[in-house]
Amino acid sequence: MSDDFTRRWALAALAVGLLLRAAYAWRASSARYLPTSSDGYETIALSIVERGEYALAPGRPTMLREPSFPLYLAAVYAVCGRRPGVVIALNILLSCATGILLWGAARRLFGERTALASFWIFMLHPQSIYYCGYFFRETWLCLWAAVLIVSSLDWSAREDDPAGARSALIGGTAAALFGLANSAVLPGCALAGLALWFAAPRRARLRRAALYFAPLTLALALWTARGYAVTGRLVAGSTHGGEEFLQALVVPPEDLGTERQTRIVAETPIFAETAMLPEAERNERLMRAAFAWIGAHPALYASRAAAGLIKFWRPWPYPRVYQHSYALLVALSLLSDGWIIPLGFFGLWRLRARWREAPAFPALVFGLTLVYGLIHAVIRYRMPLMGGMIVAACGAMS
């Protein structure tokens, strides 16, 4: 495959991907459905810019949302003012940058043909296009997951190769931004660090592991210290975990995301009893209630967890009320994730002897699948892994 041919088709993929993302973002905004306050990220960002406090309400510091995504939004608003369109435009660019990173990784692992196929598939991936149009954190998470995966290509470099140490530091910085955008991925980031230890040459292991874990540990320590200062409690990640975890336990899987979930939560006394408590104390109480529920229903929890591991990789969404036609969503999911996921897992297994060449990816797949399966499996939470799954699927086909 000539360089000129590759360049032309790669530029075509980039142009098509940019156009599709921009067109969908324009359609979403023209439909007056631009949820800038989704999950409170923009609210926190505005609080930082306008009042210098990390809060959802004036004078009430919060730990409900992890910091890297709200801080990014605050930085954009500090420079540009409150212009949601700028954030959406940056989402599009970040998504394209993610595709370029994955293209580069695929070139190193499988060659030009597979890399070009991976790039086209990512740029056409419906979910990657969709999340560019909104203020959700998925595009941000996908970028840092890709940086972490790409950095791991050099973790096994020779002891005297400076790329090994540099890539370990880049990977640790990406893991910090990834983990402090969503603390549920932190176990996966830790597993990636363990994979680095085994991938690196023996004499370089300690130095590279230290370079990887230094930014990750520092960022987590600062966030935890800040949480203790404002709540008086040690908070693991965010104060939203207890509510998410308990809801996923008391609500049957088939009712999650439906009106019945709202009724079940309203009928569960602990949610009302803790509603007016400070968020850290409420989170602690809900966490204790969750573990008490598991103790009282061990067999049911085991079955729910097993189902969650499968649900996390379900190729199409459950019937719910969506912004778009459910039939359309199922069709698009089957045309994309319907083959990417099974072929991606086949590629991971078929190429298991080469895991050392990109050790962060299998570590993240295992870590995120396990954590979400045990806590709360939601299909969109796998988005940071889908770029790597596309590369693995194309590698399997090659």
Side-chain angles (χ1 to χ4, degrees), residues 25-86:
W26 177 84
R27 182 240 180 243
S29 62
S30 65
R32 292 177 295 179
Y33 187 78
L34 187 61
T36 56
S37 60
S38 295
D39 297 330
Y41 299 116
E42 195 211 34
T43 303
I44 294 171
L46 289 171
S47 176
I48 294 169
V49 172
E50 295 170 359
R51 301 190 301 276
E53 58 180 6
Y54 193 95
L56 285 165
R60 297 178 61 183
T62 187
M63 291 280 289
L64 273 171
R65 297 297 176 192
E66 298 91 338
S68 81
F69 187 54
L71 288 173
Y72 157 70
L73 293 178
V76 173
Y77 281 179
V79 173
C80 303
R82 190 191 180 190
R83 290 184 171 84
V86 173

Side-chain angles (χ1 to χ4, degrees), residues 77-100:
Y77 281 179
V79 173
C80 303
R82 190 191 180 190
R83 290 184 171 84
V86 173
V87 174
I88 300 302
L90 288 173
N91 274 354
I92 293 168
L93 296 178
L94 293 180
S95 182
C96 291
T98 301
I100 292 169

Side-chain angles (χ1 to χ4, degrees), residues 316-329:
W316 63 90
Y318 287 90
R320 298 288 186 270
V321 177
Y322 294 105
Q323 180 192 356
H324 301 289
S325 159
Y326 178 65
L328 175 63
L329 294 179

Side-chain angles (χ1 to χ4, degrees), residues 299-357:
L300 180 56
Y301 173 68
S303 69
R304 292 265 183 93
L309 296 175
I310 298 170
K311 176 188 174 184
F312 187 65
W313 291 103
R314 177 185 166 103
W316 63 90
Y318 287 90
R320 298 288 186 270
V321 177
Y322 294 105
Q323 180 192 356
H324 301 289
S325 159
Y326 178 65
L328 175 63
L329 294 179
V330 170
L332 290 174
S333 297
L334 291 176
L335 288 170
S336 54
D337 291 1
W339 65 267
I340 291 169
I341 291 170
L343 267 182
F345 275 111
F346 174 72
L348 272 174
W349 175 250
R350 181 70 180 82
L351 303 166
R352 60 193 181 280
R354 298 184 61 187
W355 285 4
R356 189 171 180 269
E357 297 176 43

Side-chain angles (χ1 to χ4, degrees), residues 1 4 66 110 115 144 321 373 375-376:
M1 188 180 289
D4 189 50
E66 298 91 338
F110 304 115
W144 296 113
V321 177
I375 297 176
H376 187 191

Side-chain angles (χ1 to χ4, degrees), residues 160-183:
D160 59 347
D161 189 341
R166 183 172 61 247
S167 65
L169 182 60
I170 292 171
T173 303
L177 290 163
F178 187 35
L180 286 188
N182 182 358
S183 52

Side-chain angles (χ1 to χ4, degrees), residues 203-341:
R203 292 184 181 179
R205 284 176 177 173
L206 186 59
R207 180 166 183 254
R208 290 182 191 176
L211 287 169
Y212 176 86
F213 280 107
L216 180 58
T217 304
L218 177 61
L220 185 58
L222 289 172
W223 177 242
T224 304
R226 185 259 179 191
Y228 186 80
V230 300
T231 68
R233 284 175 162 78
L234 289 174
V235 177
S238 85
T239 52
H240 187 58
E243 182 177 10
E244 282 278 310
F245 190 18
L246 185 57
Q247 285 195 35
L249 293 174
V250 301
V251 180
E254 63 273 13
D255 292 326
L256 288 167
T258 68
E259 291 183 6
R260 182 161 167 72
Q261 175 179 345
T262 305
R263 292 200 299 272
I264 292 171
V265 169
E267 293 165 2
T268 304
I270 185 68
F271 290 105
E273 292 168 6
T274 60
M276 301 307 294
L277 293 176
E279 66 182 52
E281 184 180 347
R282 182 172 191 263
N283 181 65
E284 197 174 279
R285 290 271 305 275
L286 293 175
M287 275 291 188
R288 286 203 302 268
F291 286 114
W293 189 97
I294 292 172
H297 310 86
L300 180 56
Y301 173 68
S303 69
R304 292 265 183 93
L309 296 175
I310 298 170
K311 176 188 174 184
F312 187 65
W313 291 103
R314 177 185 166 103
W316 63 90
Y318 287 90
R320 298 288 186 270
V321 177
Y322 294 105
Q323 180 192 356
H324 301 289
S325 159
Y326 178 65
L328 175 63
L329 294 179
V330 170
L332 290 174
S333 297
L334 291 176
L335 288 170
S336 54
D337 291 1
W339 65 267
I340 291 169
I341 291 170

